Amino acid sequence: MAERKPLISGNWKMHHTHLEAIAMVQKLSYLLTDADYHVTDVSVHPAFTALRSIQTILDADRIPIALGAQNCYWEPRGAYTGEISPLMLAKLAVSFVIVGHSERRQIFGETDEWVNRKAKAVLANGMTPIVCCGETLEERQAGLTSSLCLGQIGGSLAGLTAEQVAGIVIAYEPIWAIGTGVVATPEDAQAVIGAIRIEVGNLFGADAAAAVRIQYGGSVKPGNIAVLMSQPDIDGALVGGASLDAEEFSRIVRYRAG
Ligand code: 13P
């Protein structure tokens, strides 16, 4: 089984106008080198309004940063005012689509069933879903972390083939660690992510479990990424706040440099 290549993803959430996004990607492209891309996959997930601008820059300057989206609907077209389809994203050369982020689950009421439909639609359009799971502080304190995350993963991946699961990305993002500055300990993150990998094995087989990339997300910074990445089952990071600054994000991508 080949080594899992780390994937460091910047989720810009509802930040950066398309003009700010352009400046950000240009700065990032000066800071990162081919040597970085060789050992680590990098994706950026701007707002929908910036996707076209960023796609044009990545393409014109041949920058090997993967373009990502933060969400999508599951239908290819139709009367769904305000929604964006996976077909539209695929036409913009989007590679990764985050589905089921906790902010979408909590603020917009997305369920595992919706996340499942979105993951399938993303795959059907030749892109890779980053499927998120994670518990609240109350759920953690009640000892529900593993059962909740495994339930979210089982529901969100239902009906996918083992081959599909092998190629997707899962992101474990404890909600209490998002935007709080409180990062999970490497041991806690590893414990949950290890349990998710075992569950993927139970549901989809050993090959899928060995291949699927699982990211950690929640207050990842240049100062804590290396120790997180030293854990055996952590294959990358989904970074919010620290991905908004090119210099800070580039240091996260270069976590091996210390
Ligand atoms: P922060 O890195 O700002 O905690 O956000 C994490 C996150 O939600 C990424 O999707």
Side-chain angles (χ1 to χ4, degrees), residues 34-254:
D34 283 346
D36 297 317
Y37 302 122
H38 185 67
V39 290
T40 304
D41 288 336
V42 182
S43 67
V44 293
H45 300 247
F48 289 132
T49 48
L51 281 176
R52 176 63 171 147
S53 308
I54 302 304
Q55 182 227 348
T56 306
I57 294 176
L58 296 179
D59 188 44
D61 296 347
R62 296 182 189 282
I63 303 167
I65 294 175
L67 187 58
Q70 302 174 17
N71 180 33
C72 69
Y73 195 55
W74 56 78
E75 295 290 349
R77 65 187 66 77
Y80 304 103
T81 302
E83 291 298 308
I84 301 286
S85 85
L87 179 67
M88 294 167 177
L89 298 178
K91 287 283 178 210
L92 281 175
V94 164
S95 304
F96 294 98
V97 184
I98 299 170
V99 294
H101 191 281
S102 62
E103 285 149 19
R104 297 219 56 88
R105 291 177 186 264
Q106 288 201 310
I107 304 170
F108 302 100
E110 291 197 6
T111 63
D112 288 338
E113 196 215 322
W114 280 40
V115 178
N116 182 237
R117 288 192 197 198
K118 291 180 180 200
K120 286 176 178 162
V122 167
L123 284 162
N125 283 276
M127 301 176 291
T128 301
I130 298 180
V131 180
C132 302
C133 65
E135 82 287 2
T136 63
L137 187 58
E138 295 70 39
E139 288 159 347
R140 167 159 286 255
Q141 286 166 344
L144 298 173
T145 300
S146 286
S147 62
L148 190 115
C149 291
L150 302 188
Q152 286 176 332
I153 289 304
S156 301
L157 305 187
L160 267 60
T161 66
E163 290 70 28
Q164 285 175 321
V165 172
I168 70 164
V169 179
I170 293 171
Y172 166 57
E173 298 203 303
I175 294 168
W176 47 270
I178 296 178
T180 57
V182 182
V183 64
T185 66
E187 294 75 21
D188 280 349
Q190 164 60 31
V192 181
I193 288 176
I196 292 171
R197 195 177 302 286
I198 289 170
E199 181 73 352
V200 170
N202 294 337
L203 296 172
F204 299 98
D207 288 352
V212 67
R213 291 192 285 186
I214 311 182
Q215 297 175 312
Y216 166 79
S219 296
V220 172
K221 306 282 178 226
N224 59 32
I225 179 71
V227 61
L228 288 163
M229 292 302 292
S230 71
Q231 299 296 317
D233 285 298
I234 301 183
D235 304 321
L238 185 52
V239 187
S243 75
L244 296 173
D245 178 81
E247 206 268 332
E248 217 179 347
F249 188 59
S250 72
R251 283 167 59 207
I252 292 174
V253 171
R254 288 186 161 159

